[in-house]
Amino acid sequence: MSGLSTPAPADLPPVPGPFRAGTPVAQPISWLRPSEPGHRAAATPRILLAALLTGLLTAWLLGDGLGVNLLICGLAAAVAAGLSARSAGRRLRPWTAVWSLLALAQLAVPACWEAGWPVALSVGCALALASLALHGGRRWPGVLLALPGILWQLGPGVLWAADGLRGRTVPGRGRIVPVLKAVAVAAALLTVFGWLFAGADAAMADMLNSLSPSIDLDRLPWRTVLFAFGVLTALGFAHIAAGPRRWDRTVIRPGRERRRLEWALPLAALNLLFGAFAVIQGLVVLGGADAVLRNTGMSRSEYARQGFWQLTVITVLTLVVVAVANRWAPRSTAADRRVARILLGLLCLLALVVVASALGRMWFYVDASGLTRLRLWVLVVEVWLGVVFLLLVTAGLTRTAGWLPRAVVLSGMLTVTVYGLMGPDAIIAEQNVARYERTHQIDLRNVRSLSPDAVPALDRLPEPQRSCALQPIRAELANGTPGPWYATSGSAARAREILAARPPMLDPRYGAGACELAGLKIDAWL
């Protein structure tokens, strides 16, 4: 098993003290019954304290924005899950470490970059990876059902914590209660006298403001929501760690085998069609793209745009065809299995030609029109689809393919991690600036929509293009006050420094200015 392992219910040893196993889980509906853990370790005061700490950190840190604070809150939730796994007697496995490290790397994206879409994608994938790390799984049901597992553990996690603490005496209560009382009195004294000192001396007020978190009563409801979210998430992960569902045990009945003719003939015909496309693409490469453009009468961007999206759809549909054909393929004899491997393997190899052609067309498009967020994203997805086809071909050449589900998920999560950490907006700005330096052409409407991640590259543009590109970014940063160190990305801090040293020519409040000088009319970008 790839995740943290739990002893089988029949072999579960008794654990003394506060780590007694919980009561058996209620019987689920029929298809869920095989995945039931049977027993789940009871919640402990340490787990609850770790969850409360996660909620406090979430309410305190995340209310001001995103940065390294997200990683801090993730580590706090990981502590709660680790305590729960320890109480259940589970051990750390290699795949658990891999998924956990990838999740932490994705939580570090907001600390580096400001763009919203990569941050949202990385946070969602980090939650899914954390769920997979705690569930484990190596088969397709085990991997795919474990990824969203945290979603239906938030409510049960609270009930599990309440049930585990019912009737439990807190150890060391005689020592803990006096400490809590002393901390409460100290907090009250510091609050009162700190407020008085701040009113008496401006320098003292600045020092106290830098040391203490800001408390805005108007934002108290939002911080309450963040606190609840942090506690629920930490308890959800702890609930999984205490006794996860074993989705690998889910029974997936194989599809009814088809006759070789009705299964192989469509695949053979599809392979012939793919082969014809591959031959044509080879002739295009040998004859040169310029010859194709002369024969078709299209521009480079028109030729690329005309075919890229169709080829991307073909790539995705090919994956669907491979999955469906593999389910219904005849496998009763060695000859049937051999035919299936040959036809599906050939289809995957020819699909790589489709992927290469799609990437080449998009490169034509980017070279002619510049890089955008959508174009970069579909390029990344197309590359990942090519990796998936390579994995499928490799699985067809090996004796067993039990490694394939985890390898596909690993390739996808690595793609998301690299995509987030490389700074998509910074790459887009860099490519467009390099293209301008080469051709003196740039799509200002495109670069004006980028985040502060793009400022270092856009700063290299000459005037008035530089000021036109940077005006909306400067306005965005000026509308908000700089957040504390834990809620500010590194790219936003660099952008503020650059714009403070070299502000745009004209403030956008006084008209388009630089954009009109650069040839971008107001009605073209408003």
Side-chain angles (χ1 to χ4, degrees):
M1 184 62 62
S2 64
L4 290 162
S5 62
T6 307
D11 302 326
L12 189 68
V15 182
F19 303 124
R20 294 187 300 272
T23 57
V25 182
Q27 291 298 317
I29 57 179
S30 59
W31 75 273
L32 288 175
R33 189 170 295 116
S35 65
E36 271 297 308
H39 288 77
R40 178 175 286 116
T44 65
R46 292 183 180 181
I47 297 173
L48 181 58
L49 287 177
L52 292 175
L53 175 62
T54 303
L56 291 174
L57 288 174
T58 303
W60 175 26
L61 300 179
L62 294 188
D64 298 314
L66 293 181
V68 72
N69 49 9
L70 194 62
L71 182 59
I72 296 173
C73 295
L75 289 172
V79 170
L83 292 173
S84 181
R86 182 181 178 184
S87 69
R90 304 178 65 189
R91 300 185 302 273
L92 183 67
R93 295 299 181 92
W95 277 103
T96 303
V98 169
W99 303 133
S100 301
L101 291 176
L102 271 179
L104 293 177
Q106 291 175 352
L107 290 179
V109 170
C112 302
W113 305 103
E114 190 75 10
W117 163 243
V119 168
L121 181 64
S122 298
V123 172
C125 289
L127 292 173
L129 279 174
S131 179
L132 178 58
L134 295 173
H135 278 99
R138 66 178 66 193
R139 296 175 57 235
W140 285 113
V143 171
L144 297 180
L145 292 176
L147 288 172
I150 183 60
L151 296 178
W152 43 78
Q153 296 294 335
L154 300 179
V158 176
L159 299 178
W160 166 75
D163 184 67
L165 295 180
R166 188 177 294 115
R168 184 186 296 271
T169 58
V170 179
R173 181 176 180 179
R175 296 189 301 270
I176 295 177
V177 172
V179 172
L180 293 177
K181 290 181 178 180
V183 170
V185 172
L189 292 175
L190 290 175
T191 300
V192 173
F193 284 94
W195 177 69
L196 293 173
F197 276 121
D201 187 82
M204 188 68 176
D206 291 338
M207 186 195 74
L208 291 177
N209 287 333
S210 63
L211 293 177
S212 60
S214 60
I215 300 177
D216 189 353
L217 294 181
D218 293 336
R219 303 184 65 187
L220 186 60
W222 170 238
R223 293 189 183 274
T224 303
V225 172
L226 290 176
F227 173 79
F229 174 76
V231 172
L232 288 176
T233 303
L235 288 179
F237 283 127
H239 184 242
I240 297 174
R245 283 186 175 274
R246 298 304 184 187
W247 295 112
D248 274 343
R249 301 172 186 166
T250 304
V251 178
I252 303 294
R253 293 185 176 87
R256 184 173 63 87
E257 295 185 16
R258 303 294 180 179
R259 295 179 179 179
R260 185 185 299 180
L261 179 62
E262 63 177 311
W263 174 86
L265 181 59
L267 276 185
L270 192 60
N271 277 323
L272 289 176
L273 180 62
F274 273 61
F277 177 81
V279 171
I280 293 175
Q281 295 306 299
L283 294 176
V284 169
V285 172
L286 294 176
D290 293 334
V292 176
L293 295 178
R294 285 195 302 270
N295 295 333
T296 59
M298 296 181 178
S299 66
R300 291 168 68 91
S301 61
E302 289 173 343
Y303 176 74
R305 184 171 60 248
Q306 186 264 342
F308 173 79
W309 297 107
Q310 292 89 332
L311 294 178
T312 302
V313 173
I314 289 173
T315 305
V316 176
L317 289 179
T318 305
L319 281 177
V320 176
V321 169
V322 171
V324 173
N326 185 65
R327 176 173 173 80
W328 298 98
R331 50 196 169 271
S332 56
T333 65
D336 288 336
R337 292 190 292 271
R338 190 180 306 112
V339 171
R341 283 175 178 267
I342 292 174
L343 290 177
L344 291 177
L346 182 59
L347 183 60
C348 291
L349 286 174
L350 293 173
L352 290 174
V353 178
V354 177
V355 171
S357 178
L359 291 175
R361 289 168 186 254
M362 178 52 72
W363 181 252
F364 276 152
Y365 196 11
V366 169
D367 186 60
S369 304
L371 191 61
T372 65
R373 286 174 174 171
L374 178 60
R375 294 166 195 168
L376 177 60
W377 172 243
V378 295
L379 275 173
V380 171
V381 172
E382 193 70 32
V383 170
W384 174 67
L385 290 175
V387 173
V388 172
F389 278 115
L390 285 175
L391 292 174
L392 291 174
V393 172
T394 305
L397 297 176
T398 56
R399 291 181 176 272
T400 61
W403 52 270
L404 183 61
R406 288 184 295 192
V408 171
V409 174
L410 178 61
S411 66
M413 291 302 179
L414 280 174
T415 301
V416 172
T417 304
V418 173
Y419 175 77
L421 291 177
M422 72 182 183
D425 278 14
I427 291 178
I428 294 169
E430 186 66 36
Q431 192 276 339
N432 280 275
V433 171
R435 177 172 171 267
Y436 178 83
E437 294 171 347
R438 187 177 69 255
T439 65
H440 296 286
Q441 295 179 351
I442 188 170
D443 185 356
L444 288 173
R445 283 169 292 186
N446 172 31
V447 297
R448 283 171 60 87
S449 65
L450 299 178
S451 67
D453 303 344
V455 169
L458 297 179
D459 187 54
R460 301 205 320 264
L461 288 171
E463 295 292 357
Q465 285 81 7
R466 174 188 175 274
S467 293
C468 178
L470 292 179
Q471 278 177 357
I473 300 178
R474 185 195 182 196
E476 175 187 347
L477 294 176
N479 288 335
T481 58
W485 63 270
Y486 53 80
T488 303
S489 65
S491 67
R494 289 192 298 270
R496 291 181 187 278
E497 293 176 0
I498 293 173
L499 293 176
R502 295 182 58 201
M505 285 172 44
L506 290 177
D507 192 287
R509 290 175 297 178
Y510 302 111
C515 290
E516 291 181 343
L517 293 175
L520 182 64
K521 296 186 179 299
I522 296 179
D523 58 358
W525 55 269
L526 281 180

